[in-house]
Amino acid sequence: GHHNDSDSPESRLIGGTVTERPDLVARANPATYASKTSAPMLLFHGDHDFGVPKILSELLHDALVKAGADSTLYIIEGADHGMGGMDDAAIQNMVTMACEFFDRHLRR
């Protein structure tokens, strides 16, 4: 369905369509709260995710970087919303990237 439909998950969350309630959309948008003190973020988004547009992850990443936070974004080619469509090599690469991220931020 369309993201602005009255029965979309976004509209149900805010209690109106996204175009009717931009104030509530901003309050629900994690990018609104990006700051230098935000926790480090690791974002994966499939380029075949038709449930959540990848632009949302890109906007969150950009807001975090602009605010001075540590954010890493990987767009996974061929992956859908649940990361289906990935071959074994892509899955292993994603696991490696996640492990490197956790090593960088948790082994201090």
Side-chain angles (χ1 to χ4, degrees), residues 13-51:
L13 172 68
I14 63 169
T17 66
V18 295
T19 54
E20 291 171 341
R21 297 304 307 265
D23 57 323
L24 294 178
V25 170
R27 288 181 59 196
N29 182 354
T32 299
Y33 307 99
S35 75
K36 186 175 178 85
T37 60
S38 294
M41 294 281 205
L42 174 61
L43 307 168
F44 290 104
H45 206 115
D47 71 351
H48 283 89
D49 183 342
F50 299 109

Side-chain angles (χ1 to χ4, degrees), residues 8-108:
S8 72
E10 300 91 319
S11 296
R12 291 194 324 249
L13 172 68
I14 63 169
T17 66
V18 295
T19 54
E20 291 171 341
R21 297 304 307 265
D23 57 323
L24 294 178
V25 170
R27 288 181 59 196
N29 182 354
T32 299
Y33 307 99
S35 75
K36 186 175 178 85
T37 60
S38 294
M41 294 281 205
L42 174 61
L43 307 168
F44 290 104
H45 206 115
D47 71 351
H48 283 89
D49 183 342
F50 299 109
V52 177
K54 73 176 180 168
I55 187 70
L56 296 180
S57 288
E58 293 167 338
L59 290 170
L60 175 57
H61 171 73
D62 291 346
L64 288 162
V65 170
K66 184 177 179 182
D70 184 319
S71 179
T72 304
L73 170 64
Y74 294 106
I75 302 298
I76 309 298
E77 290 185 33
D80 63 21
H81 186 70
M83 293 299 163
M86 296 174 61
D87 62 23
D88 289 343
I91 292 169
Q92 183 58 50
N93 190 37
M94 191 167 105
V95 168
T96 299
M97 290 183 283
C99 288
E100 289 171 355
F101 178 85
F102 291 127
D103 282 346
R104 192 166 61 251
H105 293 288
L106 299 178
R107 291 187 187 224
R108 293 183 179 197

